[in-house]
Amino acid sequence: MIRRMVTNPMPQFPAGFLWGVSTSAHQIEGAADVREPSVWDVFTAEPGRVKDGSTAAVACDSYHRYHEDVALLAGLGVDAYRFSVSWPRVDSPGGLDFYDRLVDALCAAGVRPVVTLFHWDLPVALDWLERDTASRFADHVSVVAERLGDRVAKWITLNEPAEHTLLGHALGVHAPGRRLMFDALPVAHHQLLAHGLAVRALRAAGAGDIGIANSHGPTWAASEKPEDREAAEFYDLLLNRLFSDPVLIGRYPEGIGELMPGDVEADLKVIAEPIDWYGINYYAPTRVGAPQGAEIEFGGLSFPAELPFTVREIEDRPVTDFGWPVVPEALTELLTGFAGRYCDRLPPVLITENGCSYEGVDDQERIAYLDGHIRALHRAVEAGVDVRGYFVWSLLDNFEWAEGYARRFGLVHTDFETLERTPKASYTWLRDLLRAQR
Ligand code: IFM
């Protein structure tokens, strides 16, 4: 079945389509001893927070081995590499020198640098419950843009503020480990404000080509029953629209704005600052039903009983090692749905992350996953959605947050003892696909 699917020729994407891979600083860099600490260092030091008890102190050691990573990128033949700058490293003496060297190495290898300015590793002294963190972020962005702006191809303000809010501040399973439930909403607002201020800071520094990387996926009601549909709509509002509506149409979904702190109307004008493209991280759809009065375990997370929805299994679908369902056509659904909802307010779209966790170096399941999703993406392009690029998560197996090193998302295997990198079957498959696209 897999063989038949992957030997059909991949349809051709439009000329200029941007192919890339993604990583983030805390997940790959290591070298924690030469930067300031982040909330993730504090969190991982607390017993029981990370499932395998690991930390990202060394991770893939990309801080020291970035030349190896750049060679892997060049060998893969990607147009672009999405990585994040660690705010605590930028705050450390000489911290920006590392990114300067990395950007130079990428440019020399013909790979365009795409920089994420915040991917969850907040300096320990800061807190997204505080409004001031948004202004501090804009200062950080100005410093980075000033130094790297002459060579960076694209800028991403934030990565997945939805997950950082939900997992880090509402459910407490990511750093900083708060379990505030709906009191975490200000964290979402302050990040969105930070996004808008960052767009302004980037433009003031002369930088262009700016987007955000928001996570999205279709939400499917568990049944046609009104209570399931209502629960699914609420989930969709909280995890999808809460983060796209303010950025794209300058307003919060119904009932949310009044829960946010500060002068929300004025802030929304900042949040809706025009961007050049909209980044979507897509992994899987979610099936949602009415609450069942009990804590639910799902996809490595436990959802408290008091939530007004429950996440349900999507039956009859293969799942990744993480237990996430594999549903490529939901990517077409997501993109056509976005284009329909936001119409001319939606700028060109980039898929800033898509990938899966599987063990093994002969990773035929990953090939099948990527093949299916790239075809689904092409169907969206054929349907008229203006998608301009696709980034695989991730270049390397790396530190998968609360899962530690147990989940392997890489096109390249990392031996976390020796730090040796070994390209997987999917790396070769993607390399050949990219060659055929040119
Ligand atoms: O590893 C993460 C990444 O940091 C953000 N998006 C999802 C990935 C897989 O869980």
Side-chain angles (χ1 to χ4, degrees):
M1 175 64 180
I2 286 173
R3 297 259 168 241
R4 190 176 58 77
M5 207 170 71
V6 300
T7 48
N8 286 340
M10 179 64 72
Q12 209 65 27
F13 279 77
F17 192 84
L18 195 71
W19 297 94
V21 289
S22 300
T23 62
S24 91
H26 191 79
Q27 293 177 272
I28 67 161
E29 280 179 9
D33 54 334
V34 286
R35 61 161 168 73
E36 299 298 316
S38 81
V39 292
W40 268 96
D41 297 305
V42 174
F43 185 78
T44 50
E46 293 170 10
R49 292 299 206 175
V50 175
K51 286 183 184 157
D52 61 6
S54 61
T55 75
V58 177
C60 307
D61 197 28
S62 289
Y63 180 87
H64 297 109
R65 294 165 189 261
Y66 71 93
H67 275 301
E68 283 178 51
D69 298 345
V70 173
L72 285 164
L73 291 162
L76 185 56
V78 282
D79 303 306
Y81 176 46
R82 175 187 166 213
F83 62 96
S84 76
V85 293
S86 151
W87 189 348
R89 195 178 300 289
V90 171
D91 281 353
S92 313
L96 260 171
D97 296 348
F98 167 64
Y99 298 108
D100 215 25
R101 293 192 292 273
L102 174 61
V103 165
D104 276 348
L106 289 168
C107 292
V111 178
R112 298 163 72 188
V114 175
V115 171
T116 309
L117 290 152
F118 177 69
H119 196 124
W120 303 350
D121 46 355
L122 190 71
V124 271
L126 299 179
D127 185 341
W128 284 115
L129 281 172
E130 304 293 332
R131 182 182 177 86
D132 184 51
T133 301
S135 310
R136 299 287 297 273
F137 180 63
D139 297 340
H140 156 71
V141 168
S142 302
V143 169
V144 177
E146 209 56 54
R147 181 76 177 266
L148 306 180
D150 55 335
R151 288 151 292 156
V152 166
K154 289 184 188 294
W155 298 94
I156 296 175
T157 54
L158 305 178
N159 179 72
E160 296 182 1
E163 274 62 28
H164 195 49
T165 306
L166 175 76
L167 304 179
H169 299 78
L171 300 181
V173 295
H174 276 190
R178 291 208 178 99
R179 206 176 161 86
L180 298 173
M181 304 299 288
F182 287 100
D183 290 339
L185 281 173
V187 170
H189 184 70
H190 294 150
Q191 286 182 88
L192 287 166
L193 180 61
H195 156 78
L197 291 173
V199 175
R200 290 184 175 177
L202 284 166
R203 300 234 191 267
D209 222 333
I210 304 165
I212 185 171
N214 265 333
S215 55
H216 292 294
T219 308
W220 294 344
S223 79
E224 287 304 308
K225 286 188 202 148
E227 57 272 30
D228 285 336
R229 292 178 64 94
E230 202 180 305
E233 268 168 37
F234 185 68
Y235 180 95
D236 186 48
L237 180 151
L238 209 57
L239 273 302
N240 287 311
R241 290 176 47 212
L242 173 57
F243 297 90
S244 48
D245 282 8
V247 170
L248 295 173
I249 53 176
R251 51 172 196 265
Y252 276 117
E254 54 282 2
I256 295 290
E258 41 277 41
L259 303 174
M260 294 305 197
D263 184 345
V264 175
E265 282 311 309
D267 290 350
L268 281 166
K269 293 198 169 60
V270 181
I271 295 169
E273 193 66 42
I275 50 179
D276 302 295
W277 50 272
Y278 188 84
I280 292 182
N281 295 356
Y282 170 76
Y283 289 88
T286 312
R287 192 159 172 266
V288 174
Q292 293 175 314
E295 182 155 320
I296 302 280
E297 295 288 327
F298 193 87
L301 292 175
S302 84
F303 291 87
E306 64 261 40
L307 285 172
F309 54 78
T310 48
V311 177
R312 312 275 179 85
E313 204 176 316
I314 295 179
E315 289 129 15
D316 307 327
R317 290 294 182 156
V319 291
T320 69
D321 285 353
F322 216 149
W324 298 358
V326 179
V327 192
E329 68 273 21
L331 177 57
T332 319
E333 178 188 327
L334 173 71
L335 290 167
T336 51
F338 244 79
R341 175 171 177 75
Y342 295 110
C343 305
D344 58 355
R345 303 298 290 270
L346 182 67
V349 170
L350 259 73
I351 301 301
T352 33
E353 283 182 27
N354 178 235
C356 49
S357 63
Y358 288 110
E359 288 293 316
V361 171
D362 184 19
D363 54 345
Q364 297 300 321
E365 298 102 326
R366 179 171 288 100
I367 293 175
Y369 180 100
L370 295 177
D371 181 88
H373 284 78
I374 294 171
R375 286 172 199 276
L377 182 61
H378 193 269
R379 282 192 287 278
V381 173
E382 275 179 331
V385 187
D386 186 4
V387 187
R388 304 268 178 100
Y390 174 84
F391 287 65
V392 175
W393 182 272
S394 179
L395 172 65
L396 300 166
D397 292 339
N398 57 48
F399 179 74
E400 179 54 28
W401 308 112
E403 300 287 319
Y405 296 102
R407 306 292 172 208
R408 292 181 174 272
F409 279 87
L411 297 164
V412 174
H413 177 271
T414 310
D415 180 323
F416 292 107
E417 297 294 320
T418 63
L419 299 169
E420 190 186 345
R421 282 104 160 107
T422 308
K424 302 180 188 178
S426 57
Y427 175 96
T428 311
W429 174 85
L430 184 62
R431 182 199 64 193
D432 293 347
L433 185 149
L434 299 188
R435 283 180 184 165
Q437 285 291 318
R438 295 199 174 105

